[in-house]
Amino acid sequence: MVQVQSKFAPIHINCYEFCHPWTESCLEASVGSYLCAIVDSLRIYTTVYMLALLMKGSVPSKEEIKKTVLGMLQSTAFLSANGMGFTLFLCLLRKLLGHFNFLTVSAIPSFLANFFAILIERPSRRTLLSLYVSNVATETVWNMAVSRDWVRPRNDGVVVIFSVCMAILLTYFKSGLHKRDGERVDSMFGVLRLIVGPYEEKSISRPSEVNTFHREQTRNDPLSSGSRWSVPGGRSSANNTYRLITQALRIYRRLINKIKCLNRNPACPHPFSCVHYTLQGACKMAGVGLSIQLALSFVFNLKSIFLSPRAIKTIVWKKKTLSLAIFLGGFSGLFRGICCVLRNVTGTDSACHAIPAALIAGIAFKQYPDTTVALYVMWKMAQISYGLGIERGIVPRVPGFTIFLYCVSTAILFHTALLEPVNLRPSYWKFLHSISAGRVATMNREPLDVWGLETSRQLVEVLRNTHTRRGVKYYVSNFS
């Protein structure tokens, strides 16, 4: 049985026994990590940048292609520098101190490596990278606290986080704080505009009275009126089908027209009735959610569909397929409906209405309680609030804060991957395993068991759960 010692006690082992047991040379380990990281980094960023180029929907110019290639190479250099820097600083600190301790086995080397690496990346991408790793690091710290019985997990915790943060963001949206000189301060508000609709923005102009005009249009609409349409000649079954479709369309149009012509409070910024406004938002976002979920399901199950086309039915009718649609449709419908109720009660349209509306609409997140989404919204809210606070002189600007947050968050993730990997998000463990060509799993954890975290056992569990394995994958020949 391994004797547990203090976290402050050092362990006297050399680099070969811990960080690169596949080679005795520190230089070979560092350069090998760099070369292997280049291969995977190039694959990742080629996909990312090419998708971004294709999503523009137009033929790229020479300048755009050049910018894409340079960005891809710069991002590849940044990510591969992480791999080399981590091994390099591990060995360098060992030689300077003569031993490893609880902080130098991962946290400090990772912080230093990421500090120099992030300086290579474009400044425009640093905030996005910082938000992503902070998201994962927050979840990791929570998992560590749960494993130590410091906190108790709550099933509705992510729902509360999502609802509160969305209430703050939508208050900014309705109050006009989301724009600076007519431009959105963050792309997040473009997503909110899609979900809750453009009429909830403060800057939107009030509609003119549309119900009277719509009633006049309804009288002249042959499909909505009771007039009979001529039915083309042909077989009786075809005529019956045509009549059925026409009648269904007529009933649908009449129903929509009646809903549109219901009452609307003058304080409401939307056209037509409040009922139509609420139902329209719910149906639209439910359709968007269903389309996204089906598209992702088809992409991730493409192999199964190719081997057995009957699998499509199983994929489509899964309960999980409807979860995103119910969440988006429910959130949009509830938010719009509650805002309309508050406008009818108070007679005004206030930004404060976003707070109760978003808190109640956030209940729909129970249908899609994704931790990643909740934490992303939380960090986005923090970033936007910090930016607005700086603009108004409420909080001081901290130089290099984005870089510092990135380095601290990544140090937490690397430290967890080495010492207690069961608390790390499985997808991030797979990323580290891939980018290091298996080195993160091959590093010897047995000397780290002296700190009482059962690191070796945790590694075995993670390898089994993520279907990864020990062993270094070489993309280039070994140094002689």
Side-chain angles (χ1 to χ4, degrees):
M1 184 176 179
V2 178
Q3 184 179 358
V4 178
Q5 64 182 33
S6 169
K7 299 291 192 301
F8 299 100
I11 51 175
H12 296 276
I13 54 174
N14 58 40
C15 303
Y16 169 69
E17 292 173 313
F18 163 55
C19 55
H20 47 80
W22 57 89
T23 176
E24 294 184 3
S25 171
C26 296
L27 177 61
E28 181 179 337
S30 300
V31 176
S33 298
Y34 177 64
L35 294 175
C36 291
I38 286 178
V39 176
D40 215 60
S41 301
L42 188 61
R43 176 183 61 82
I44 291 171
Y45 283 112
T46 298
T47 305
V48 170
Y49 278 88
M50 290 305 295
L51 282 175
L53 194 63
L54 292 172
M55 286 178 67
K56 291 183 178 180
S58 59
V59 178
S61 62
K62 278 187 177 181
E63 189 63 29
E64 287 177 328
I65 294 174
K66 180 181 177 181
K67 186 178 179 180
T68 299
V69 172
L70 290 177
M72 180 178 62
L73 294 176
Q74 188 173 1
S75 295
T76 299
F78 145 72
L79 191 55
S80 54
N82 273 315
M84 178 180 181
F86 179 65
T87 306
L88 183 65
F89 281 110
L90 262 175
C91 296
L92 185 60
L93 288 173
R94 163 67 180 80
K95 292 184 185 297
L96 289 175
L97 299 175
H99 61 263
F100 287 108
N101 58 53
F102 192 72
L103 294 178
T104 61
V105 292
S106 187
I108 293 177
S110 174
F111 184 93
L112 295 173
N114 283 285
F115 175 77
F116 289 104
I118 194 67
L119 297 178
I120 300 173
E121 184 57 287
R122 291 183 300 164
S124 60
R125 281 184 48 82
R126 291 173 187 171
T127 301
L128 182 63
L129 289 166
S130 178
L131 284 174
Y132 171 71
V133 294
S134 299
N135 183 329
V136 185
T138 304
E139 181 183 347
T140 302
V141 171
W142 174 261
N143 292 338
M144 293 167 69
V146 171
S147 68
R148 289 164 170 76
D149 293 326
W150 292 347
V151 294
R152 292 182 180 181
R154 294 184 62 89
N155 295 332
D156 297 334
V158 291
V159 178
V160 173
I161 292 172
F162 177 83
S163 301
V164 171
C165 294
M166 284 296 284
I168 296 171
L169 289 173
L170 286 166
T171 302
Y172 296 156
F173 183 74
K174 284 184 68 64
S175 62
L177 295 176
H178 67 295
K179 285 189 175 182
R180 186 191 303 118
D181 299 327
E183 298 292 332
R184 296 192 189 99
V185 298
D186 196 277
S187 59
M188 181 68 180
F189 291 111
V191 177
L192 296 181
R193 192 176 194 270
L194 172 67
I195 295 174
V196 302
Y199 296 108
E200 298 298 335
E201 288 188 81
K202 180 184 178 182
S203 57
I204 198 72
S205 58
R206 300 289 177 180
S208 58
E209 184 59 45
V210 294
N211 286 0
T212 303
F213 171 78
H214 184 71
R215 290 190 184 99
E216 293 297 327
Q217 293 295 314
T218 300
R219 293 193 190 101
N220 300 324
D221 187 351
L223 187 59
S224 299
S225 64
S227 61
R228 292 185 175 274
W229 280 21
S230 59
V231 180
R235 293 179 299 176
S236 177
S237 59
N239 291 343
N240 291 336
T241 303
Y242 184 82
R243 289 193 188 95
L244 183 63
I245 294 173
T246 304
Q247 187 65 23
L249 289 173
R250 185 180 294 117
I251 294 171
Y252 171 76
R253 180 66 68 86
R254 285 179 178 175
L255 180 62
I256 293 299
N257 288 339
K258 286 183 178 180
I259 293 174
K260 284 184 176 181
C261 294
L262 294 173
N263 292 331
R264 176 181 66 86
N265 191 286
C268 288
H270 55 81
F272 307 118
S273 69
C274 295
V275 176
H276 175 266
Y277 179 62
T278 302
L279 292 176
Q280 182 194 45
C283 293
K284 175 186 173 182
M285 290 315 302
V288 170
L290 184 60
S291 300
I292 293 172
Q293 197 68 54
L294 284 175
L296 292 175
S297 297
F298 279 118
V299 169
F300 291 134
N301 295 278
L302 197 59
K303 184 178 179 181
S304 301
I305 294 171
F306 180 77
L307 296 175
S308 176
R310 292 183 178 180
I312 296 177
K313 184 178 180 181
T314 306
I315 293 170
V316 170
W317 291 108
K318 276 184 179 179
K319 183 181 179 181
K320 186 180 178 181
T321 306
L322 299 174
S323 59
L324 183 59
I326 296 171
F327 156 56
L328 289 177
F331 186 88
S332 179
L334 284 171
F335 184 83
R336 291 187 180 198
I338 293 166
C339 283
C340 283
V341 170
L342 293 173
R343 283 188 285 258
N344 276 270
V345 171
T346 62
T348 59
D349 185 18
S350 172
C352 295
H353 293 169
I355 297 175
L359 290 175
I360 296 173
I363 296 172
F365 194 60
K366 282 188 174 183
Q367 298 297 321
Y368 192 78
D370 190 279
T371 304
T372 303
V373 173
L375 292 177
Y376 177 78
V377 172
M378 183 188 75
W379 279 104
K380 262 297 178 184
M381 182 275 296
Q383 176 206 351
I384 293 168
S385 298
Y386 177 62
L388 292 173
I390 291 174
E391 286 182 9
R392 285 155 179 76
I394 301 173
V395 294
R397 182 185 294 275
V398 181
F401 179 74
T402 300
I403 294 176
F404 177 78
L405 181 62
Y406 172 82
C407 295
V408 169
S409 299
T410 312
I412 291 171
L413 295 175
F414 273 63
H415 193 69
T416 307
L418 263 292
L419 286 164
E420 41 190 313
V422 293
N423 292 320
L424 193 66
R425 185 184 295 178
S427 60
Y428 198 81
W429 169 263
K430 290 181 180 179
F431 164 74
L432 291 178
H433 190 276
S434 176
I435 204 72
S436 66
R439 285 166 170 77
V440 70
T442 310
M443 294 175 71
N444 185 16
R445 303 302 205 281
E446 290 183 4
L448 309 183
D449 287 335
V450 295
W451 289 315
L453 297 174
E454 299 183 326
T455 305
S456 298
R457 179 196 62 77
Q458 290 194 34
L459 176 63
V460 173
E461 183 179 340
V462 168
L463 293 175
R464 182 177 64 251
N465 294 339
T466 59
H467 305 289
T468 50
R469 59 182 181 178
R470 291 187 179 96
V472 176
K473 183 178 180 181
Y474 292 97
Y475 295 105
V476 293
S477 59
N478 292 337
F479 293 96
S480 56

